[in-house]
């Protein structure tokens, strides 16, 4: 049986994958979601942004340092 990957045994992405000009916002900036997509997997519901953020279709995020940002979709307005 293979060991389960843990944060101590996995390869970490570089702090930024952004190679274009002007540079995208960093993963810790308030507008981090504005970074460009470097890998999109809509069939799996996620995209990797050039600042290292994994953005999920439910608007949740996984930051490069392992921090989780809960989904933050706007609530529907009841009329």
């Amino acid at each position: 049986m293979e060991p389960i990957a843990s944060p101590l045994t996995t390869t970490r992405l570089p702090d930024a994958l952004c190679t274009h000009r002007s540079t995208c916002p960093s993963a810790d900036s308030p507008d981090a979601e504005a970074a460009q997509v470097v890998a999109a997997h809509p069939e799996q519901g996620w995209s990797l942004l050039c600042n290292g953020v994994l953005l999920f279709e439910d608007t949740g995020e996984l930051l490069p340092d392992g921090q989780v940002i809960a989904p933050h979709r706007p609530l529907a307005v009841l009329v």
Side-chain angles (χ1 to χ4, degrees):
M1 206 183 245
E2 290 189 32
I4 297 172
S6 74
L8 299 176
T9 62
T10 57
T11 303
R12 188 168 181 272
L13 290 172
D15 288 335
L17 303 173
C18 186
T19 59
H20 52 276
R21 298 287 176 239
S22 69
T23 307
C24 285
S26 66
D28 59 354
S29 72
D31 59 344
E33 294 176 15
Q36 290 192 12
V37 174
V38 294
H41 292 276
E43 73 282 1
Q44 296 176 358
W46 62 271
S47 296
L48 175 63
L49 305 182
C50 67
N51 57 8
V53 172
L54 275 174
L55 181 62
F56 296 95
E57 68 180 11
D58 68 354
T59 69
E61 300 173 31
L62 179 61
L63 302 182
D65 65 1
Q67 186 179 17
V68 174
I69 306 295
H72 46 278
R73 284 187 177 160
L75 297 175
V77 177
L78 298 175
V79 184

